[in-house]
Amino acid sequence: MKMVIQNSAVLMKAKTDAYHILVAARFYSTTKKPSFTELDKKWIKIWKKNPPRFARSNANKDNDGFYVLSMFPYPSGMLHMGHVRVYAISDIMARYRRMNGLKVVHAMGWDAFGLPAENAAIERKIDPSIWTIDNIGKMKEQMNQMLADFDWEREIVSCSPEYYKWTQKLFTMLYKAGYAYRKEASVNWDPVDKTVLANEQVDAEGRSWRSGAIVEKKMLKQWFLSITKFAPDLLEDLKLLEDWPSKVKTMQKNWIGKSNGAEITFLNENKNYTNINVFTTRPDTLFGVQYIALSLDHPVVLKSSLTDPELVTFLSGAKDM
């Protein structure tokens, strides 16, 4: 009896050892290492025929839709790692929401209009349309190599008449309704790209974010939209954005820029100059006013510079401030 028990124990140990060897062989086989390149090729073919975005049978018809929108790239040549980062994040969001049964639209398009494209084409002595479309083709191929699952069926190109006809229609509607107007205004002018820049496109050293040129101030006729007429509604509807971070809503509130105050007219004792109008949110502090600061391009300043050499020198030097 004792002998049988011993033999059984030995047998069980042998079986256990054999199982461990089998498992080790299965997981640590050195006969063939997996080729990730070959795996990529295999699944790229499968996903090309049946993109994950088409597998929407899991989406519940009663579920809400989910719209994922990342930045549309500017077709300047090739994607860089910043693009990879942004589109990897949006791709993860789109796939995750789709796997949770939502009807997802993962949008993609090309921010392809503007003078930089035209200037780049002129520099290379080719047609801007050829330059832009060729770049879109190269960058789209890179996105396919990333395996980002965009809704290419909805792809838009902002320089295409099929797209910008709607921009023109919207502008025409705004103009007819009295919300679009034209006036002369001071702008940030890029002397290299020969285009107007937003304040955000000028760095701390006063240079253009794209060309690196020192930005100039110019008075040019510009089109404006009367966003201020919609300020009350825009501010009120910020309350509906319950899930938005408070700092983002604060930024939006400041951008809308509604201020309650009064416009004050300071009479100019010199009849050769116009009176000066200022807006203030604190008219109760007017009794403490000691001086008025005027912008470099104010009509009073420009007129004064015609007879004041020192002011001319100051204005000239202020361009480099």
Side-chain angles (χ1 to χ4, degrees), residues 86-127:
V86 168
Y87 301 134
I89 293 171
S90 70
D91 195 49
I92 290 169
M93 289 179 63
R95 291 172 186 266
Y96 174 76
R97 296 296 180 181
R98 193 176 292 125
M99 290 169 69
N100 278 273
L102 297 181
K103 297 185 285 267
V104 176
V105 172
H106 191 193
M108 179 44 64
W110 307 93
D111 182 10
F113 237 149
L115 282 172
E118 186 176 333
N119 291 335
I122 292 172
E123 185 180 328
R124 291 163 178 78
K125 297 181 180 179
I126 59 176
D127 188 281

Side-chain angles (χ1 to χ4, degrees), residues 35-52:
S35 169
F36 295 111
T37 303
E38 293 302 316
L39 284 172
D40 274 349
K41 288 179 181 178
K42 170 187 173 181
W43 286 103
I44 286 172
K45 286 181 181 178
I46 294 173
W47 288 331
K48 198 168 185 179
K49 289 181 180 178
N50 301 292

Side-chain angles (χ1 to χ4, degrees), residues 76-226:
S76 55
M78 302 288 277
L79 296 179
H80 51 69
M81 288 308 297
H83 291 109
V84 176
R85 175 182 178 273
V86 168
Y87 301 134
I89 293 171
S90 70
D91 195 49
I92 290 169
M93 289 179 63
R95 291 172 186 266
Y96 174 76
R97 296 296 180 181
R98 193 176 292 125
M99 290 169 69
N100 278 273
L102 297 181
K103 297 185 285 267
V104 176
V105 172
H106 191 193
M108 179 44 64
W110 307 93
D111 182 10
F113 237 149
L115 282 172
E118 186 176 333
N119 291 335
I122 292 172
E123 185 180 328
R124 291 163 178 78
K125 297 181 180 179
I126 59 176
D127 188 281
S129 63
I130 296 174
W131 161 258
T132 301
I133 298 302
D134 282 353
N135 286 339
I136 288 175
K138 293 174 187 175
M139 295 171 80
K140 189 172 181 179
E141 178 58 32
Q142 285 183 293
M143 286 183 174
N144 287 330
Q145 290 175 357
M146 283 173 55
L147 304 181
D149 191 28
F150 295 113
D151 282 71
W152 291 113
E153 301 75 28
R154 303 170 185 261
E155 178 186 11
I156 63 103
V157 181
S158 64
C159 64
S160 164
E162 288 302 307
Y163 175 82
Y164 66 70
K165 68 179 182 182
W166 300 113
T167 308
Q168 292 174 333
K169 182 179 177 63
L170 285 170
F171 179 82
T172 303
M173 292 170 66
L174 288 166
Y175 179 75
K176 290 180 177 177
Y179 293 123
Y181 61 96
R182 202 178 187 194
K183 72 171 184 178
E184 199 170 60
S186 176
V187 297
N188 299 315
W189 178 256
D190 185 327
V192 174
D193 280 344
K194 295 180 173 59
T195 187
V196 174
L197 302 174
N199 291 334
E200 292 79 8
Q201 295 173 312
V202 181
D203 67 18
E205 297 179 354
R207 295 183 179 274
S208 165
W209 70 290
R210 180 175 288 277
S211 70
I214 293 292
V215 173
E216 301 172 359
K217 285 287 185 181
K218 271 193 175 185
M219 292 295 291
L220 293 177
K221 280 191 175 180
Q222 301 288 301
W223 282 102
F224 292 85
L225 299 178
S226 301

Side-chain angles (χ1 to χ4, degrees), residues 226-241 252-253 255-257:
S226 301
I227 301 297
T228 51
K229 294 181 180 178
F230 299 97
D233 292 334
L234 291 171
L235 289 170
E236 182 65 26
D237 286 352
L238 285 176
K239 298 175 183 177
L240 302 177
L241 306 176
Q252 290 293 309
K253 183 179 179 181
W255 179 81
I256 295 167

Side-chain angles (χ1 to χ4, degrees), residues 5 11 247:
I5 292 173
L11 184 61
K247 65 178 182 179

